[in-house]
Amino acid sequence: MRWTMPPHSWDHDAAGSSRAATHVPPLRCRDIWHGDNDAGGAIEGAEEGDEEDEEGDEDGDRDLQSKRPKVRGFGEESPQHSGVNASFFGLESTHFPGSDEHGHFKLSHCPENELDFGLSLFPNDGVNENPGDGNVGDVEISGGENSEDVEIRMDLSDDLLHLIFSFLGQRDLCKAGASCKQWRSAIVDICHRYQNVTYLNLSGVPHAELLVMEAITCLRHLKTLIMGKGQLGEAFFQLLSECPLLTTLTVSDASLGSGIQEVTVNHDGLHELQILKCRALRISVRCSQLQILSLRRTGMAHVSLNCPQLVELDFQSCHKLSDNAIRQAATACPLLASLDMSSCSCVTDETLREIANSCPNLSVLDASNCPNISFESVRLPMLVDLRLLSCEGITSASMAAIAYSRLLEALQLDNCSLLTSVSLDLPHLKNISLVHLRKCSVLHRVSITSNALQKLVLQKQESLSSLSLLCNNLIDVDLSDCESLTNAVCEVFSDGGGCPLLRSLILDNCESLSTVELNSSSMVNLSLAGCRSMTLLKLSCPNLQNVNLDGCDHLERASFCPVGLESLNLGICPKLSDLHIEAPKMSLLELKGCGVLSQASINCPRLTSLDASFCRKLMDDSLSQTAEACPLIENLILSSCLSIDLNGLSSLHCLHKLALLDLSYTFLTNLKPVFDSCPQLKILKLSACKYLSDSSLDALYREGALPMLVELDLSYSSIGQTAIEELLSCCTNLVNVNLNGCTNLHQLVCGSDDCSSGDMPVDVCPPDSAPVRSEEISERSDRLLEVLNCTGCPNIKKVIIPSMTTYLRLSKINLNLSTNLKEVDLTCSNLYTLNLSNCSSLEVLKLDCPRLTNLQLLACTMLQDEELESAISRCSALEILNVHSCPKINVLDFSRLRVVCPSLKRIQSSLIT
């Protein structure tokens, strides 16, 4: 489209002659505002129009003769305008100087013979999108190529206003229309030129009704109109007849009428009308084709309806409407299928009876929060969905009337505090909700018969004690916080109890249950969390996959025979003393903390991990039976199992895949059954086994027991220094050794490459032995040790690993909290981390560790800075150094340390802020 600027809009010089025409580069509309491309925007036209513009630009570049300036924007319509795909304003995204709000106009492309436009004028806080690529918004000025002084002045003609308004956001566009008559006229003129708009949203725009009332006569294709806020008088609703195609009208948060007269909505084509949160005295709706009407939260005192086709009516929270007004309005709609009058406190049973007689097709009714409704003698045979939440008048006598609705599928009776029993025979019922507040729950008995009910929720029925269900398709049941349920409820959910397809049962916090016995072939999920009175649990549910026993801290006896569980945690049941499990699929069992468990029959052929920590009374015979029935166990934790003795450990020969055995905190004195029965063992934990002697480990370093052992934990044990050094020297497959808190460890000098006798110094070779080449040592005795932990060894004073040793893989040493440690001399080619923190006696530090990256010396109060500099000088890869709280290392800027070790990246010190 091309719009031509009137010639009088251009400025002339003082002499009255036109300024000499010069050729300058094409000037875009965005250049008018900013001189750059910050505010972009383009107006889309026909493809032919764009091509003409491009050709015109090329001609202008070649032709040096003067041409009349042309503004391509809003003005005269081009011949192509009526037959192209267009949009209102043709803009995807625009920005107007001085406004922080961005407009978004959606394009609505239609066939050439069926224009369909969309205009949205509600506030938009979104971000800019990419501007269009069209050139129709360009301003061309032809003249001399070297002109430096081109002055352009334009009057605010209607054409230019159209161009300017095309850059406005939605909110600013409407504000501009309310500013003055000329601007409003220009915007109304836009509506005249684009009469095919079908959707108009003015929600939240102040004074939008003035613009609409002036433009509405030309918006004859409008189908949807959305208004919000402001004052809408009778004249506004009368003008709606000028839009014959209007089908949807939404008005929200507005004042209707003058406050003393009735507001009438009269439109023969309207199908949906929503008047939400508005203020009016009286509303009259006369729409012959209206199907959906919502007056939700609108404060009117009277309503009159003449809508013979209405099927959905919403009066929710219309507090000022009287019972008689609601009755007259609803009964005037014979085709009504859905009625919402929730929170209309004046509604009575008489109104419901009248509605039942006048609206035989009513299938959805919401009368929640209507305290005067008891529903007695109300007959609604077509009801499918009934909601009576918080209806104080609903009692057990109301159930007879509800049961008359045989087609009912969904029923909500939450917080009906006077219900004492529920007995329903509804063959199509799929969902029932009876959630009550604790303080007002008096429901004692529930009896439901239904072939369609799939989910039953009866939470917080603290008085419910009797439950009868005959529901062949019931799948989920939630009886949480039903404190009065008795043990007999288990019969309802067992095979033959009336719920053959039940998969999920929640009995959380049912504190009256003392014995739970369930025999169900369909149950998959069971939750008994918080059932604190339960002492006996017997489950025979072969398909049970999940069970929750949190808070069942009084459970004494439990039987899971059979169940389909893959994992089970009973460590939260501290009083459990007798346990029987038959679970063909179970792989993980945790009994950690079952301190009084003495008898355990565990038949789980796929079990791979058993944690029986702190089962102090677990006997040898239970361990033997478990080992025979569960041959696939790989991880066995018997920490603090004080009753396990040699007989129980001997039975471990059945566990051919056992890789981890934890015997920490036990009274064992002899490990021979372990060495004989578990040759494939990889991890052995003997932490705090105070009664083990040095000879207890002889088989490890003298006889080659446990050849696959890679991790050994002797923390806080009584093992002596000689045994420890023999282990480190001879057990070459060890990867991780923990010696934390070993009080008998005085020094750790790794200097022997061969196993030596107990009375031979470990750092001296036999005098008659021939020299051994380093290659032979590496091939024969290369040790796999990677991690050595000696944290908190109170008596260790010296740690020496000389170069002759073959700890080539040692990467981490931890000597933290070894307070008497004085000397550390390490030559380790692969050491990455060394922790000497809190070694307050450390004075000598010698390191030859070319790969060390992390050195922790926190609180090494005796270490001198000269000693530190010498130590790190041979650690060429060191990056992190922690000398916090080391008072004798006093170089403030640590420049000397970085000179000695250029690789340092971070130094942690109390002297550095």
Side-chain angles (χ1 to χ4, degrees):
M1 294 183 292
R2 188 179 295 273
W3 308 87
T4 304
M5 198 68 179
H8 60 75
S9 63
W10 292 93
D11 189 24
H12 294 264
D13 56 21
S17 61
S18 178
R19 188 178 299 272
T22 57
H23 180 75
V24 296
L27 179 64
R28 308 288 182 179
C29 285
R30 65 192 65 149
D31 301 326
I32 295 176
W33 311 126
H34 283 300
D36 54 22
N37 59 357
D38 288 343
I43 303 171
E44 294 183 355
E47 295 178 0
E48 296 85 355
D50 290 341
E51 292 173 359
E52 287 183 7
D53 295 336
E54 293 172 2
E55 292 174 0
D57 292 342
E58 294 174 0
D59 294 339
D61 292 338
R62 293 192 299 265
D63 189 1
L64 299 179
Q65 296 181 0
S66 302
K67 292 184 179 180
R68 177 178 298 171
K70 295 180 180 180
V71 179
R72 283 180 289 175
F74 289 92
E76 298 178 3
E77 296 194 34
S78 66
Q80 301 94 336
H81 175 66
S82 59
V84 299
N85 295 337
S87 69
F88 198 87
F89 296 142
L91 288 176
E92 286 284 343
S93 177
T94 60
H95 181 275
F96 186 68
S99 173
D100 291 333
E101 298 177 33
H102 300 73
H104 180 72
F105 298 86
K106 277 195 173 181
L107 300 181
S108 181
H109 297 287
C110 307
E112 292 183 0
N113 59 351
E114 185 179 351
L115 290 178
D116 188 13
F117 297 96
L119 171 60
S120 178
L121 296 178
F122 54 85
N124 186 351
D125 296 326
V127 296
N128 274 340
E129 297 179 3
N130 293 330
D133 296 329
N135 296 323
V136 187
D138 296 349
V139 177
E140 295 183 17
I141 304 175
S142 299
E145 204 172 52
N146 298 323
S147 175
E148 297 180 356
D149 186 14
V150 178
E151 183 178 357
I152 302 175
R153 295 183 182 178
M154 296 183 181
D155 295 334
L156 288 180
S157 63
D158 288 345
D159 291 338
L160 185 54
L161 280 177
H162 296 162
L163 179 60
I164 294 173
F165 289 158
S166 71
F167 290 90
L168 287 180
Q170 294 98 323
R171 183 187 293 270
D172 288 334
L173 190 64
C174 287
K175 287 181 179 180
S179 298
C180 65
K181 291 182 179 180
Q182 182 192 13
W183 288 22
R184 183 165 69 246
S185 176
I187 291 176
V188 171
D189 188 50
I190 291 174
C191 297
H192 281 282
R193 298 187 181 189
Y194 295 90
Q195 298 181 10
N196 289 331
V197 172
T198 60
Y199 177 93
L200 179 58
N201 189 338
L202 292 169
S203 177
V205 177
H207 310 298
E209 65 278 4
L210 300 176
L211 177 62
V212 173
M213 289 177 65
E214 291 196 27
I216 201 169
T217 56
C218 65
L219 298 176
R220 301 186 60 83
H221 291 82
L222 191 64
K223 296 180 180 180
T224 300
L225 175 60
I226 301 176
M227 302 289 293
K229 297 186 178 181
Q231 179 81 31
L232 299 180
E234 181 70 17
F236 169 80
F237 292 100
Q238 290 176 355
L239 280 174
L240 293 177
S241 59
E242 299 294 334
C243 301
L245 300 182
L246 188 67
T247 59
T248 302
L249 173 62
T250 300
V251 180
S252 60
D253 199 17
S255 296
L256 309 183
S258 61
I260 59 175
Q261 62 181 6
E262 182 177 77
V263 173
T264 301
V265 183
N266 189 350
H267 196 290
D268 290 335
L270 207 58
H271 289 175
E272 181 176 350
L273 173 61
Q274 296 192 47
I275 300 178
L276 312 174
K277 297 174 61 179
C278 292
R279 297 163 294 282
L281 181 62
R282 299 165 63 90
I283 295 179
S284 176
V285 182
R286 301 173 185 176
C287 302
S288 58
Q289 300 299 320
L290 194 66
Q291 297 180 1
I292 300 174
L293 173 60
S294 177
L295 298 170
R296 179 174 295 198
R297 299 180 66 183
T298 293
M300 68 249 166
H302 187 269
V303 62
S304 174
L305 301 183
N306 184 2
C307 309
Q309 301 297 319
L310 196 68
V311 295
E312 184 176 328
L313 179 58
D314 187 352
F315 281 138
Q316 184 188 107
S317 300
C318 293
H319 302 292
K320 294 183 179 180
L321 274 183
S322 65
D323 183 37
N324 186 56
I326 294 176
R327 183 188 312 168
Q328 292 180 2
T331 55
C333 307
L335 300 182
L336 197 63
S338 175
L339 175 61
D340 186 345
M341 51 184 183
S342 57
S343 300
C344 294
S345 57
C346 58
V347 177
T348 63
D349 283 340
E350 180 62 27
T351 294
L352 287 180
R353 285 190 288 268
E354 291 287 340
I355 292 174
N357 294 331
S358 303
C359 307
N361 296 320
L362 192 65
S363 59
V364 178
L365 175 62
D366 190 344
S368 302
N369 296 291
C370 295
N372 296 322
I373 289 180
S374 66
F375 217 79
E376 296 181 20
S377 69
V378 177
R379 299 291 184 267
L380 291 167
M382 302 302 292
L383 271 186
V384 175
D385 189 343
L386 177 59
R387 304 166 196 173
L388 297 172
L389 292 80
S390 302
C391 290
E392 300 175 1
I394 298 296
T395 64
S396 300
S398 307
M399 296 301 104
I402 294 176
Y404 188 82
S405 304
R406 299 284 292 173
L407 300 180
L408 203 62
E409 296 180 1
L411 175 61
Q412 294 186 33
L413 297 170
D414 300 353
N415 301 325
C416 296
S417 57
L418 297 182
L419 272 177
T420 58
S421 65
V422 175
S423 180
L424 295 171
D425 184 0
L426 298 171
H428 299 284
L429 190 64
K430 296 180 180 179
N431 194 335
I432 183 173
S433 180
L434 288 161
V435 180
H436 283 248
L437 296 176
R438 285 177 174 266
K439 62 182 181 180
C440 60
S441 178
V442 292
L443 184 65
H444 295 285
R445 185 178 65 86
V446 171
S447 175
I448 300 176
T449 302
S450 173
N451 288 327
L453 185 65
Q454 296 183 352
K455 184 175 182 178
L456 175 63
V457 179
L458 291 169
Q459 297 177 353
K460 299 182 180 180
Q461 305 296 329
E462 61 180 10
S463 299
L464 181 64
S465 58
S466 176
L467 182 65
S468 175
L469 299 176
L470 187 57
C471 305
N472 293 329
N473 290 301
L474 188 61
I475 296 176
D476 298 328
V477 174
D478 188 348
L479 298 173
S480 300
D481 299 290
C482 294
E483 300 176 356
S484 300
L485 280 178
T486 63
N487 297 332
V489 74
C490 297
E491 299 176 4
V492 178
F493 303 115
S494 294
D495 289 343
C499 306
L501 299 182
L502 186 67
R503 291 175 58 86
S504 178
L505 176 60
I506 300 177
L507 295 171
D508 293 351
N509 301 313
C510 295
E511 297 184 359
S512 294
L513 295 177
S514 60
T515 299
V516 175
E517 298 186 40
L518 291 171
N519 178 13
S520 172
S521 57
S522 62
M523 190 173 298
V524 175
N525 303 307
L526 173 64
S527 182
L528 295 166
C531 295
R532 301 186 182 280
S533 300
M534 183 174 61
T535 58
L536 174 62
L537 175 63
K538 294 183 68 175
L539 300 179
S540 181
C541 307
N543 292 309
L544 186 66
Q545 297 179 9
N546 301 291
V547 62
N548 185 356
L549 298 173
D550 291 345
C552 298
D553 46 15
H554 287 80
L555 184 63
E556 298 177 359
R557 293 178 293 163
S559 174
F560 302 83
C561 301
V563 292
L565 296 171
E566 295 183 2
S567 63
L568 178 62
N569 184 358
L570 293 173
I572 51 180
C573 304
K575 294 186 177 181
L576 186 65
S577 60
D578 193 348
L579 175 64
H580 298 270
I581 299 179
E582 182 181 333
K585 299 180 180 179
M586 185 174 293
S587 60
L588 176 62
L589 176 60
E590 289 194 27
L591 303 174
K592 186 176 182 178
C594 297
V596 297
L597 181 64
S598 57
Q599 297 296 324
S601 174
I602 302 173
N603 185 6
C604 304
R606 295 187 181 180
L607 192 67
T608 59
S609 179
L610 173 60
D611 187 349
S613 301
F614 302 100
C615 294
R616 291 182 170 84
K617 294 187 176 182
L618 190 64
M619 305 301 292
D620 284 345
D621 54 349
S622 296
L623 180 59
S624 300
Q625 185 274 335
T626 300
E628 293 178 3
C630 310
L632 301 182
I633 291 180
E634 298 176 5
N635 301 328
L636 179 60
I637 302 177
L638 300 174
S639 177
S640 297
C641 291
L642 304 181
S643 299
I644 298 295
D645 208 343
L646 300 181
N647 293 331
L649 294 179
S650 299
S651 66
L652 300 183
H653 71 275
C654 301
L655 306 180
H656 301 293
K657 294 188 176 184
L658 186 64
L660 184 153
L661 178 61
D662 189 346
L663 297 172
S664 301
Y665 295 91
T666 58
F667 296 153
L668 293 175
T669 58
N670 189 345
L671 294 176
K672 190 175 186 304
V674 176
F675 299 147
D676 294 342
S677 304
C678 311
Q680 75 287 352
L681 203 63
K682 295 181 179 180
I683 300 175
L684 177 60
K685 297 187 177 183
L686 301 170
S687 179
C689 291
K690 298 292 185 180
Y691 295 94
L692 286 179
S693 61
D694 288 5
S695 60
S696 302
L697 300 176
D698 283 353
L700 281 177
Y701 54 83
R702 294 184 184 276
E703 301 172 13
L706 306 183
M708 301 179 67
L709 193 69
V710 296
E711 181 175 338
L712 178 63
D713 189 350
L714 294 172
S715 299
Y716 306 102
S717 66
S718 57
I719 301 298
Q721 178 171 311
T722 301
I724 291 174
E725 292 181 345
E726 292 284 3
L727 284 170
L728 294 177
S729 177
C730 299
C731 298
T732 58
N733 287 330
L734 285 176
V735 175
N736 192 331
V737 176
N738 292 325
L739 302 171
N740 303 321
C742 289
T743 57
N744 293 329
L745 184 62
H746 298 278
Q747 65 178 14
L748 189 61
V749 180
C750 303
S752 175
D753 294 313
D754 298 305
C755 299
S756 56
S757 60
D759 53 358
M760 181 181 294
V762 298
D763 56 344
V764 178
C765 294
D768 56 347
S769 62
V772 182
R773 293 182 302 171
S774 60
E775 293 82 0
E776 295 177 356
I777 295 176
S778 178
E779 293 176 0
R780 184 182 67 213
S781 58
D782 183 19
R783 295 167 179 82
L784 302 181
L785 186 64
E786 296 180 5
V787 179
L788 178 61
N789 289 317
C790 298
T791 299
C793 294
N795 298 316
I796 189 170
K797 297 181 179 180
K798 180 187 299 186
V799 175
I800 299 177
I801 301 180
S803 59
M804 69 174 60
T805 61
T806 55
Y807 292 99
L808 301 179
R809 301 174 186 265
L810 189 58
S811 61
K812 180 179 179 180
I813 299 178
N814 191 349
L815 293 163
N816 182 26
L817 294 170
S818 298
T819 55
N820 286 313
L821 182 63
K822 293 185 178 181
E823 180 181 353
V824 173
D825 187 351
L826 304 178
T827 302
C828 300
S829 59
N830 205 43
L831 190 67
Y832 286 91
T833 301
L834 175 61
N835 190 350
L836 296 171
S837 297
N838 299 291
C839 295
S840 54
S841 301
L842 183 64
E843 296 178 355
V844 178
L845 179 61
K846 298 179 180 180
L847 301 177
D848 186 0
C849 307
R851 295 188 180 181
L852 185 67
T853 60
N854 191 331
L855 176 58
Q856 297 292 317
L857 297 172
L858 172 67
C860 290
T861 56
M862 300 298 293
L863 189 64
Q864 302 280 348
D865 51 2
E866 295 83 0
E867 189 73 18
L868 175 61
E869 291 177 20
S870 175
I872 66 175
S873 63
R874 305 191 67 178
C875 302
S876 57
L878 188 63
E879 297 180 358
I880 300 174
L881 175 63
N882 186 352
V883 288
H884 197 282
S885 301
C886 296
K888 295 189 177 183
I889 300 176
N890 54 15
V891 182
L892 292 178
D893 59 359
F894 293 97
S895 57
R896 292 170 57 188
L897 294 179
R898 288 194 170 93
V899 170
V900 172
C901 186
S903 61
L904 269 177
K905 295 181 179 179
R906 189 171 74 179
I907 301 176
Q908 297 170 294
S909 171
S910 54
L911 300 178
I912 298 180
T913 58

